[in-house]
Amino acid sequence: MKKWMYLIAPTVMLGAFMFLYLAESKEAEIKDKARAAELAKTKALEEEKKKIAEEKARLDSAKRSAERAAEEAKREADKIAKREAESKRIQDETDKYLADSAAQTKKISDLELQLEAARKAKDQASRESFDLLKQVERAKVERRNAEIEIARLTEILARRASDSSMTRMPTPPPPPAAK
């Protein structure tokens, strides 16, 4: 009988194990199905939340894109307006400076004409002054020549007069004889 004990005890234990195992496996299967259903429900909720979050993110992204596009358009419009204002200011300054340049050019040409007239007047005055100085020098030369001629004629007359017998003193009479 001892041999059969080795066979009966494990068989009974195997039967008890099988009974407990099958009961527990049914419970585990029910729990797994419940957990799978719960996971599916949780997953469906998460998918729904994810879809809602994606839709919200897509709407927010579209809104931000629209805001960004509007902001860029505004910035571009401001840039264009600023550029046009700067261009207008530069054009106004250019026109002003061109008008000022034309006025200054006219003034320069008037001053150049006045300068040319003054130069001609100066040259004319210099020529007249030179002519007058030339006449004065010529008069001085003629005066000196006249003085020299007068001196020469005076000397000639003096020499002729000294050579002339009329101007000689008569020879003095002989001294009276001594008595």
Side-chain angles (χ1 to χ4, degrees), residues 153-166:
L153 287 177
T154 306
E155 191 176 314
I156 289 175
L157 283 176
R159 203 176 327 130
R160 279 192 187 163
S162 68
D163 288 347
S164 162
S165 57
M166 292 176 115

Side-chain angles (χ1 to χ4, degrees), residues 56-85:
K56 188 176 180 183
R58 188 178 57 75
L59 290 175
D60 285 346
S61 174
K63 183 179 176 184
R64 280 190 303 246
S65 293
E67 288 174 356
R68 194 176 320 119
E71 189 176 312
E72 283 183 18
K74 182 183 176 200
R75 246 187 276 138
E76 189 65 30
D78 288 346
K79 223 185 253 185
I80 289 171
K82 193 176 193 180
R83 197 176 313 133
E84 287 175 355

